[in-house]
Amino acid sequence: MDRQLETPRVVVGIDGSPSSQAALRWAVRYSGLVGGKVDAVAAWDLPGAGTWSAPAVDADFDEEEAERRLVEEVRAVLGEGGASQVHERLVRGNPAEVLVDQAQGADMLVVGSRGHGGFRRAMLGSVSQQVALHAPCAVTIVRPAAVAP
């Protein structure tokens, strides 16, 4: 298929952090400029699912509740009008791996510079570092606006 005739697709990672909210706003603005569509992707995983260190069960995780919270977060960040331009996806797996996988065929992958977890002084979070190294498309890493302590 001729790549020039396809609608540009922008994938953005969402985790509820200020960085991911800034990335979501950036992705929607960029998508508007290029006439694209936005897929907002949140990843979830069960503790110990990839190892024998713990049972792959999380009795507290409710997938329907997580999907509802993802949709609510997109609406809270963008408002109803902006949220209507976004397709939300909740995907099970390691966040960096999920985002790289979801970015297959995309024109741009957008992530925040640092999400939940990690070291406070880190310039980039582990997910943003991994997607920058392994994404199959262009990557934009967005820092949130500076916030006074």
Side-chain angles (χ1 to χ4, degrees), residues 19-20 23 29 37-38 43 47 52 57 72 77-78 91 95-96 105 107-108 117 128 130 132 149:
S19 285
S20 78
R29 282 193 305 270
K37 59 183 179 178
V38 176
W52 289 99
V57 175
E72 287 177 358
V77 171
L78 301 174
V91 180
D107 295 271
M108 175 81 65
S128 57
Q130 289 302 307

Side-chain angles (χ1 to χ4, degrees), residues 17-34:
S17 68
S19 285
S20 78
Q21 292 171 354
L24 176 60
R25 286 187 290 271
W26 192 96
V28 169
R29 282 193 305 270
Y30 175 79
S31 178
L33 292 172
V34 298

Side-chain angles (χ1 to χ4, degrees), residues 114 118-124:
R114 198 181 54 150
F119 299 100
R120 233 174 130 68
R121 293 188 182 143
M123 293 297 285
L124 291 177

Side-chain angles (χ1 to χ4, degrees), residues 77-131:
V77 171
L78 301 174
E80 277 304 315
S84 67
Q85 302 170 42
V86 177
H87 179 256
E88 298 91 355
R89 292 184 182 173
L90 179 66
V91 180
R92 181 178 175 188
N94 171 280
E97 292 173 8
V98 164
L99 291 172
V100 168
D101 183 55
Q102 292 291 309
Q104 295 296 326
D107 295 271
M108 175 81 65
L109 173 58
V110 183
V111 292
S113 60
R114 198 181 54 150
H116 287 298
F119 299 100
R120 233 174 130 68
R121 293 188 182 143
M123 293 297 285
L124 291 177
S126 60
V127 172
S128 57
Q129 284 181 317
Q130 289 302 307
V131 300

Side-chain angles (χ1 to χ4, degrees), residues 44-58 92-94:
W44 67 277
D45 209 357
L46 298 175
T51 67
W52 289 99
S53 65
V57 175
D58 186 350
R92 181 178 175 188
N94 171 280

